[in-house]
């Protein structure tokens, strides 16, 4: 089965330990995700690619309990939709990244929990191709 990322240059993949691809301004050191051409802090065009840490801390979260409106393109219907967690994850000291959580039960989610980046199949296209995206999963103890 073929697998493709949902967008180019968002995460390293395939990779044993994938990372999100951000950018750091060479002038003022601002960090962005996703990567962008100009700095949101100083406006300079001195952004350099930066691989972000794989592990982070859950800063805040919510659950998505209904099928999002377009352009959300999971292929689900209101009948097949499964709720999921969404979180804002602090990666290192520089950037917070919004992303899907692999857990959706509020009893399994807590502020400050350690998370790690994973790549998962977001949807399967009509030709059988799996479209891959990123999410954050609870980090295993001891990692």
């Amino acid at each position: 089965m073929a697998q493709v990322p949902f967008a180019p240059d968002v995460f390293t993949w395939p990779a044993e330990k994938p990372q999100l691809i951000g950018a750091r301004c060479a002038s003022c050191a601002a960090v962005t995700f996703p990567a962008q051409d100009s700095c949101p802090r100083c406006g300079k065009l001195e952004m350099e690619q930066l691989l972000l840490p794989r592990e982070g801390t859950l800063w805040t979260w919510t659950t998505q309990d209904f099928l999002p409106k377009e352009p959300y393109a999971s292929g689900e219907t209101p009948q097949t939709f499964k709720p999921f967690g969404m979180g804002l994850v602090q990666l290192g000291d520089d950037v917070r990244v919004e992303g899907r959580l692999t857990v959706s039960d509020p009893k399994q989610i807590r502020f400050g929990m350690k998370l790690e980046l994973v790549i998962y199949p977001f949807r399967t296209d009509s030709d059988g191709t799996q479209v891959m995206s990123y999410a954050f999963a609870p980090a295993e103890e001891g990692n």
Side-chain angles (χ1 to χ4, degrees):
M1 173 179 305
Q3 295 180 321
V4 297
F6 79 94
D9 303 321
V10 174
F11 51 85
T12 59
W13 182 84
E16 185 178 323
K17 294 188 176 206
Q19 290 177 266
L20 296 176
I21 302 170
R24 180 187 307 274
C25 178
S27 181
C28 73
V31 175
T32 65
F33 176 80
Q36 53 191 57
D37 295 328
S38 65
C39 178
R41 183 183 297 157
C42 71
K44 294 191 177 172
L45 299 173
E46 299 177 8
M47 301 298 283
E48 300 171 346
Q49 181 176 304
L50 175 69
L51 295 179
L52 300 176
R54 290 184 32 77
E55 295 185 356
T57 304
L58 186 60
W59 194 75
T60 193
W61 63 275
T62 190
T63 56
Q64 178 68 43
D65 294 318
F66 57 89
L67 183 64
K69 305 269 188 252
E70 290 185 12
Y72 185 76
S74 68
E76 295 169 290
T77 67
Q79 294 74 30
T80 63
F81 175 76
K82 294 184 178 127
F84 56 88
M86 286 294 296
L88 192 58
V89 181
Q90 180 77 40
L91 298 177
D93 293 330
D94 300 315
V95 70
R96 291 181 184 144
V97 172
E98 182 180 354
R100 191 171 188 146
L101 304 177
T102 61
V103 293
S104 60
D105 180 354
K107 294 176 185 168
Q108 296 177 309
I109 304 171
R110 67 184 188 288
F111 296 108
M113 70 188 293
K114 300 297 180 192
L115 300 169
E116 64 184 332
L117 181 74
V118 296
I119 305 301
Y120 76 101
F122 176 63
R123 72 168 185 264
T124 302
D125 286 344
S126 60
D127 66 358
T129 300
Q130 282 189 323
V131 177
M132 309 302 283
S133 189
Y134 70 91
F136 293 95
E140 294 182 25
E141 293 299 320
N143 282 353

